[in-house]
Amino acid sequence: MAPFDTSHLDALMEEAGIDVLLATSKHNTQYLLGGYRFIFFSTMDAIGHSRYLPVVIYEKGHAENSAYVANRMEGGEHQNHPFWTPAFHAAAWGTLDAAEYAVEHLRKIGKGVARIGIEPSFLPLDAYRLLSERLEGATFVDATGVLERLRAVKTPEELEKLRKASELVTDAMMATIAWARAGTTKNEIIERLRQEETNRGLQFEYCLLTLGSSHNRAASDQAWREGDVLSIDSGGNYRGYIGDLCRMGVLGHPDAELEDLLGEVEQIQQAAFSKVRAGARGGDVIAHAQSVLKASKVAEFTDFFAHGMGLITHEVPFLMTNHPVTYEGVDAARPLEAGMVVSVETTMLHPSRGFIKLEDTLAVTNDGYEMFGENGRGWNRGATA
C-alpha cells in the first residue's frame, strides 16, 4: 500500500495533464517511499563517473504499476524493510543505467508514449537525453508543482519529526552558547554546534554565525568578546526533516539597548504569529507583520519574511515573491491549511550592535498554531571565565 494519499496525487496529476510520474529528487523519492532515504548517498551524490539517481515511477490511477529504481546496494535495504512499490530494481550505479531501467518499466506498463512528469531541476542532462531518445513520442511535463502540492499538508508523523528536529536544534544551540566564552572563535563555535547536533541524533546541515557588530555569517577565526552579541542560525536534519531556527546570545549581561532591540524583533514575530491559523490567507501573515515593521523604529535596517518548510527549507506555502529565494509567492492569496508548517523570520542588521534575529517554526492548526522548538527565544548568556 502506498504511504501517501494516492487519490490526492491522482487529482494533482490529472489537473497538470500528467499520465505517469518520474520522481528523481532525494526529497520527493523519500516522500513517495514513506520516509526512506538511502544512507550511503544521504549527503553525497557523486560516485565514479556519474551520480546516484533514485527513480520512483507512479502511474496515475494505477499504484499497482509503481516501481522504484535504486542503487545496487539497496537490495539489502529491501530485504530488511521491503519497499511498497510492486516493482523494485536494485540495479543502477549511475544516471544512465537508472534511466534505462525507468524506460524499460514505462514500456512494460504501456506508458512509453505518454505525458511523463519529471523534475527538471533534479534530472541530469544525460538521463533526460536518454529518456527522450528511447521514449520517442512521449511528452515531458514539469511535475515540480505537483510534488510540492502533494507534500504541502504534513501528516501527524511528519509534524512529529519536524517538532523533534526543531527541539533538538534549539537544545544544541543553547548548549553551544552556554559553552562558548571570551576568546572562542566562530570556527570553534560552529564545530561545537555540529557535535551537539550530531550527539542528539541530528544530521548537521549548516550554521550561519555572527559575532559582535559584524553582519558576516561565514565561518572565520573571529573571537567572541565580552559584551558582544552572537546570532546562531542552524539547520539540523532529523530523518529527512529540517529544523531551521535562529537564536541570540550575549557574552555578559544584555544591556537595555539590546533588550529593547530584541523586543522590537519579538514584536514583529508576534504580529506574524497572530495571523497564523487554518483558513487565513497566507499573505495576511506577511502584510500584518510588515505593517508592524514599517511603524517600528528599527524598520530602516530590519527585514521580515516567512516561508513554508518540511523536507526542504522553502516549500509550500510560498508566501513571498523573490524574497529572498527566487520563486513566486503563489500562495499569498490562498488560505493556510492545518498541517502546513511555516518558518517566520525577522532579521535586524543593526549598524553598531550587529546581527539580531529570531527565526521560529510554526505548525498551522485549526484555531491558530503550535510552535516547535520555542526554547531560548530571549538573550542567552555565554560562559563566564
Side-chain angles (χ1 to χ4, degrees):
M1 181 178 177
F4 54 88
D5 186 345
T6 56
S7 62
H8 186 203
L9 179 54
D10 291 342
L12 291 168
M13 292 173 68
E14 178 67 24
E15 183 180 359
I18 294 172
D19 301 315
V20 61
L21 181 68
L22 296 187
T24 51
S25 65
K26 286 196 288 191
H27 56 281
N28 279 320
T29 55
Q30 174 183 327
Y31 186 86
L32 295 172
L33 292 172
Y36 166 80
R37 181 180 291 196
F38 186 29
I39 190 171
F40 190 83
F41 291 104
S42 182
T43 59
M44 65 176 182
D45 294 311
I47 186 166
H49 294 302
S50 191
R51 55 158 287 178
Y52 176 57
L53 186 67
V55 185
V56 173
I57 303 171
Y58 177 85
E59 181 184 352
K60 181 182 64 183
H62 293 280
E64 70 275 11
N65 288 338
S66 299
Y68 177 40
V69 178
N71 179 268
R72 291 185 189 179
M73 291 185 287
E74 290 178 83
E77 304 280 341
H78 184 63
Q79 290 174 5
N80 294 340
H81 304 285
F83 299 106
W84 73 269
T85 56
F88 173 63
H89 306 284
W93 276 110
T95 56
L96 294 178
D97 45 358
E100 283 277 13
Y101 280 101
V103 168
E104 290 179 13
H105 186 79
L106 288 169
R107 287 174 174 168
K108 182 178 179 180
I109 64 175
K111 293 298 175 181
V113 180
R115 290 178 61 84
I116 301 172
I118 61 171
E119 298 184 78
S121 296
F122 298 94
L123 182 61
L125 179 61
D126 58 354
Y128 173 75
R129 283 175 172 167
L130 188 149
L131 290 169
S132 59
E133 290 170 0
R134 302 292 174 85
L135 299 172
E136 188 176 356
T139 302
F140 294 93
V141 181
D142 188 345
T144 303
V146 166
L147 290 162
E148 288 170 345
R149 293 293 150 191
L150 181 66
R151 305 194 326 266
V153 175
K154 276 58 180 175
T155 65
E157 293 76 16
E158 289 181 287
L159 291 172
E160 186 56 34
K161 290 175 183 176
L162 284 161
R163 178 204 306 278
K164 190 75 170 177
S166 301
E167 290 176 349
L168 293 175
V169 167
T170 50
D171 287 350
M173 287 176 171
M174 297 304 96
T176 300
I177 294 172
W179 164 84
R181 62 191 64 235
T184 308
T185 68
K186 291 176 73 175
N187 284 323
E188 291 169 337
I189 294 170
I190 292 169
E191 174 57 22
R192 180 70 178 211
L193 181 66
R194 185 193 65 78
Q195 295 174 16
E196 294 286 352
E197 290 189 3
T198 301
N199 290 342
R200 286 169 170 77
L202 292 169
Q203 180 175 297
F204 177 77
E205 296 278 353
Y206 62 85
C207 176
L208 304 173
L209 184 73
T210 69
L211 296 177
S213 61
S214 173
H215 300 157
N216 186 322
R217 299 203 286 173
S220 74
D221 286 327
Q222 180 187 358
W224 205 7
R225 301 179 303 178
E226 189 71 25
D228 279 356
V229 304
L230 169 154
S231 74
I232 189 165
D233 188 334
S234 180
N237 189 307
Y238 181 74
R239 300 182 182 179
Y241 289 81
I242 298 294
D244 177 19
L245 302 103
C246 185
R247 295 292 182 260
M248 297 300 302
V250 62
L251 198 54
H253 291 279
D255 58 36
E257 183 183 32
L258 288 180
E259 294 282 14
D260 182 55
L261 292 174
L262 191 57
E264 292 287 334
V265 170
E266 174 68 1
Q267 185 178 11
I268 298 159
Q269 290 288 97
Q270 292 294 334
F273 300 166
S274 71
K275 296 299 181 180
V276 175
R277 69 180 186 283
R281 292 196 330 155
D284 291 345
V285 176
I286 306 299
H288 186 56
Q290 289 183 330
S291 69
V292 173
L293 170 58
K294 185 177 180 179
S296 170
K297 61 186 179 183
V298 301
E300 180 183 358
F301 41 80
T302 304
D303 181 59
F304 170 83
F305 67 95
H307 58 86
M309 61 177 294
L311 280 171
I312 61 176
T313 56
H314 282 255
E315 59 179 47
V316 176
F318 298 111
L319 301 177
M320 304 180 74
T321 297
N322 300 333
H323 191 103
V325 182
T326 51
Y327 52 70
E328 296 297 315
V330 294
D331 295 308
R334 296 179 178 177
L336 297 172
E337 299 178 55
M340 287 181 169
V341 177
V342 179
S343 178
V344 178
E345 310 187 37
T346 301
T347 304
M348 180 190 303
L349 303 182
H350 194 277
S352 61
R353 302 311 300 265
F355 195 102
I356 300 175
K357 174 180 179 178
L358 289 176
E359 179 177 6
D360 297 297
T361 299
L362 309 183
V364 181
T365 64
N366 287 323
D367 57 358
Y369 64 88
E370 183 177 1
M371 185 180 291
F372 293 163
E374 59 185 321
N375 189 24
R377 299 186 69 257
W379 285 107
N380 303 283
R381 295 178 60 194
T384 56

